[in-house]
Structure formats: structure tokens, C-alpha cells
Amino acid sequence: MIDFPHRFKIKAIVDRLPENTCGSASACIVFEKFNLPYDPLYFIEVGRDGNATSDYPTDGCNIFGIALAMAKTNLVYVHVYIDFDVTKEYSILEEYEKPIIDELLSLNNITINPSISLIEICECITDNCVPILAFNRNGKKENGHFSPLRGLRDEQTLSLPLGDAEGPCDCDKDVFVNTWWTAESLRSCIIVKKN
């Protein structure tokens, strides 16, 4: 397991953000871990995270939005792993998503790749490489959620600083894969690498 900001620091980050902005909170935690400057409101605005005053979703963001917000800082490389072909399936995107994808594809520090297994994700974790997982929090389909992944404890337990509504949680990796990570739309991740 890699070092992460202390749980009190993570709580302070989350407390600065509106509810249902776990994508932005995850980005802030990763930037804090990398000791990089960040503005939570920037991640919310650029990532279209819960912006109720526009045509964006009123409750959270999608994986492409938060990937864009992090990549646009030019402080990190961002690799999105998702089973969604943005070229072939562009026409089925929501209208608010198309400008996000257009901008994503114009950046040099981002790649979009097919999804990978949880084991492959865990193998890439280093102090300069942190995944952010998208999943159904507590296995409930209506609870789409993001959390950075700190690593595996005792080779079986995932350490998720934003695992549930109460904050951090440890989740058995088999429970995570079979219950929390079953919806195709959420079985994805972002791997963030410090420049």
C-alpha cells in the first residue's frame, strides 16, 4: 500500500466540496497525494461535476469529465480505462458529454483504453501512479461513485479513501468485483500519473 494523505486531510478536502462531487474529491485527493496545487472548484467546473445551474447532470460527473479536469492542469498524465469506444459510440453520448470528449481527444496527456482487470489496476499503483475507480457504492445501482485506490491490504482488501458515504472503507476485492463493480457503465477507472 502506498502512502496517502491522512484521513483527517481527506475529510477536510471532502468537507470543502458540495455533496455528490466524489469525482472532484477524488481528483483533489490524488493531487494532494502528489503534492500538486489544485483548486476543488476548478475540478467541479471543468469536470462538470454536479453543476445544477447548467445542462450538465445535477448529481455528479462521468469518468470523462473528471479525466478532462485533471488532464487540463498539465500536471499529470491521465489514462482512462473503459469499455466505451468514443469514436464509434460518439452519437449515443448525451449532448453535454460531446464537448468533453472533443476536448479530451485534443489533449496530448490523456489516453482512452479498453477496461482492465482489478488485478492489473492494483499492479500499477506506485507513489507516482494512483488509480481512481468508478463503481456502484455499496453495490447499489443508484450509488455511482468515485474513489482513489490506495492499494491492497493483506492481498485481499481494497483500501478506498472514499469508499462509501461515511468516508473511507476497506472492501474485500472479490465483493468489490462481484457486487460493487458489476455495471458496465461503471466498471472503469482512471490511472493518474504524476509528470
Side-chain angles (χ1 to χ4, degrees):
M1 294 234 302
I2 57 173
D3 289 333
F4 241 55
H6 191 277
R7 63 186 175 95
F8 294 123
K9 180 64 178 177
I10 291 173
K11 182 175 181 339
I13 290 169
V14 172
D15 288 348
R16 290 175 58 194
L17 295 164
E19 283 187 38
N20 300 315
T21 55
C22 55
S24 295
S26 294
C28 292
I29 291 166
V30 171
F31 274 58
E32 180 74 26
K33 191 264 180 290
F34 289 159
N35 199 27
L36 295 172
Y38 63 90
D39 176 359
L41 296 179
Y42 169 85
F43 290 131
I44 289 172
E45 182 179 332
V46 175
R48 283 79 161 176
D49 196 358
N51 188 344
T53 61
S54 71
D55 59 352
Y56 305 133
T58 58
D59 192 11
C61 65
N62 66 30
I63 196 164
F64 296 119
I66 201 59
L68 174 64
M70 289 187 294
K72 280 189 69 171
T73 67
N74 289 314
L75 298 172
V76 294
Y77 290 99
V78 178
H79 305 277
V80 177
Y81 293 86
I82 188 168
D83 287 329
F84 182 87
D85 188 320
V86 294
T87 305
K88 292 180 182 172
E89 299 179 78
Y90 186 86
S91 63
I92 67 169
L93 291 168
E94 299 286 342
E95 284 307 309
Y96 80 89
E97 293 175 305
K98 291 179 180 177
I100 296 171
I101 297 297
D102 294 343
E103 196 167 2
L104 265 181
L105 296 175
S106 74
L107 298 175
N108 293 324
N109 60 335
I110 192 160
T111 63
I112 301 173
N113 312 281
S115 64
I116 58 177
S117 72
L118 185 61
I119 296 302
E120 291 171 299
I121 293 167
C122 290
E123 288 173 349
C124 80
I125 299 173
T126 68
D127 277 324
N128 290 319
C129 181
V130 177
I132 296 174
L133 300 178
F135 56 93
N136 283 319
R137 182 173 54 208
N138 299 326
K140 296 178 182 174
K141 289 184 179 180
E142 67 276 9
N143 287 338
H145 194 55
F146 290 100
S147 176
L149 175 60
R150 185 175 175 209
L152 278 174
R153 181 176 290 116
D154 62 39
E155 297 187 17
Q156 186 62 30
T157 306
L158 299 174
S159 177
L160 300 165
L162 294 178
D164 59 31
E166 304 303 316
C169 81
D170 292 336
C171 182
D172 179 88
K173 72 179 182 182
D174 295 333
V175 170
F176 182 86
V177 168
N178 295 320
T179 305
W180 291 33
W181 215 32
T182 54
E184 280 185 30
S185 61
L186 292 172
R187 192 176 183 133
S188 53
C189 80
I190 303 168
I191 294 180
V192 188
K193 296 181 180 179
K194 186 177 180 182
N195 284 354

